[in-house]
Amino acid sequence: MNCLNLWKKILNNGKRKNIPDSKIVCADAVFFTDGFWPESAEDHRPARVGGVLLASWREKPISFSEIIPKEVIEKWYPRENQIQQIESMAVYLLLHRFKGESMHKKVIGMIDSESSLGAMTKGYSSKADITELVSSVWGIVADNSIRLDLD
């Protein structure tokens, strides 16, 4: 239900455009995200995410990298591989970190994971923990009037 309310907020408060939009609109910023999940039990490196933001208002790109705490991962449904959650977390952390400066801007997000991109595009998943994270992403978008396109 939370996703539905966020989509309604985006639709009610967002900038409307014709589909297909016949004019070319330049993006104010582009971001790239990526995540790492250990592929085997023998790999003891921590799960981590990162991203880079290239923005027209910045002289240089800015990046971040963070380890995802085990306490966060333990709240997710158990899965053999949590890469979809990790990749989605990268998008969330980038948007959260740069939400103030992205307000009212056209932003293009390049997401490394097809499953994460799919959930982000739909706005939900059949898995509640994924839907919760996706809802948080779109909540940032709605609250900050970010015009976000994902690929």
Side-chain angles (χ1 to χ4, degrees):
M1 195 61 167
N2 191 29
C3 283
L4 178 60
N5 292 332
L6 289 170
W7 278 111
K8 285 181 180 179
K9 184 175 182 178
I10 290 169
L11 290 172
N12 290 332
N13 300 326
K15 184 177 178 184
R16 289 177 168 75
K17 63 181 180 180
N18 293 328
I19 300 174
D21 195 347
S22 60
K23 63 181 179 185
I24 296 173
V25 178
C26 294
D28 298 304
V30 177
F31 70 77
F32 299 85
T33 57
D34 201 3
F36 167 78
W37 179 260
E39 292 186 23
S40 69
E42 293 80 35
D43 188 344
H44 298 292
R45 293 177 293 170
R48 68 178 314 117
V49 297
V52 62
L53 175 71
L54 297 90
S56 60
W57 60 89
R58 287 183 165 270
E59 278 188 38
K60 299 185 296 189
I62 187 166
S63 62
F64 79 97
S65 178
E66 288 187 27
I67 293 173
I68 304 301
K70 286 184 180 183
E71 302 81 41
V72 171
I73 294 169
E74 288 168 356
K75 292 180 183 176
W76 300 339
Y77 289 145
R79 295 179 187 85
E80 191 171 316
N81 188 323
Q82 295 281 18
I83 194 64
Q84 181 175 357
Q85 281 290 76
I86 295 293
E87 296 281 357
S88 298
M89 181 63 77
V91 176
Y92 170 80
L93 289 172
L94 186 136
L95 286 171
H96 186 267
R97 185 173 295 239
F98 302 114
K99 64 186 175 188
E101 62 185 89
S102 300
M103 189 177 283
H104 304 291
K105 301 276 195 311
K106 169 94 169 138
V107 178
I108 297 174
M110 304 302 285
I111 301 174
D112 184 51
S113 164
E114 288 184 20
S115 60
S116 177
L117 174 61
M120 294 284 173
T121 301
K122 288 190 315 184
Y124 67 94
S125 169
S126 61
K127 308 291 188 248
D129 58 336
I130 294 172
T131 296
E132 182 179 347
L133 189 50
V134 168
S135 294
S136 298
V137 166
W138 287 108
I140 292 170
V141 170
D143 291 344
N144 294 280
S145 301
I146 299 170
R147 295 172 305 190
L148 181 63
D149 286 327
L150 299 173
D151 198 359

